[in-house]
């Protein structure tokens, strides 16, 4: 099983960051790669469309409002992996209430790809996503 994790300090309080990204259906609010999200099954599943018209379906597997994190699994996606589970988490930064650390991590099994190829793919997705979050918070 391969895995990756990317963290970024962003210029907003943990509560403000979580209010933006903490909703399972909130990706279009800060992630340009996902302009459309449709909640299904009472909000426990989301159907995402990317700019290429590809469909990604994900299931919420864990959510913790108090600790500001959620985890999800991919049910359908154009990515060469199976067994994908990811967590996005907002951390406090000791001594600072004006910034937060956001960590996006995932583990997965390559499917017709190498560990390095899928690790590089998701590292890039998480890095670009956290860059987009930073840009949204400073706009």
């Amino acid at each position: 099983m391969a895995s990756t994790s990317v963290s970024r300090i962003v210029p907003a309080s943990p509560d403000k960051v979580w209010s933006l990204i903490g909703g399972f259906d909130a990706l279009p609010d800060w992630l340009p790669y996902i302009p459309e999200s449709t909640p299904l099954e009472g909000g426990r599943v989301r159907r995402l469309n990317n700019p290429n018209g590809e469909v990604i379906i994900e299931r919420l597997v864990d959510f913790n409002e108090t600790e500001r994190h959620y985890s999800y699994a991919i049910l359908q996606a154009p990515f060469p992996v199976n067994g994908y589970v990811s967590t996005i988490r907002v951390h406090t930064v000791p001594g600072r209430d004006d910034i937060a650390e956001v960590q996006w991590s995932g583990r997965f099994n390559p499917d017709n790809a190498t560990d390095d190829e899928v690790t590089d793919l998701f590292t890039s997705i998480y890095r670009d996503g956290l860059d987009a979050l930073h840009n949204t918070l400073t706009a």
Side-chain angles (χ1 to χ4, degrees), residues 33-34 36 47-56 76-79:
Y33 180 71
I34 302 296
E36 184 179 338
R47 177 189 167 97
L48 309 170
N49 288 22
N50 69 19
N52 300 326
E54 297 168 318
V55 173
I56 303 163
Q76 175 188 326
F79 309 124

Side-chain angles (χ1 to χ4, degrees), residues 1-6 84-87 104-108 122 126:
M1 179 166 274
S3 65
T4 188
S5 181
V6 176
Y84 176 98
V85 177
S86 179
T87 299
W104 198 350
S105 59
R107 62 184 192 280
F108 33 79
F122 286 105
Y126 299 164

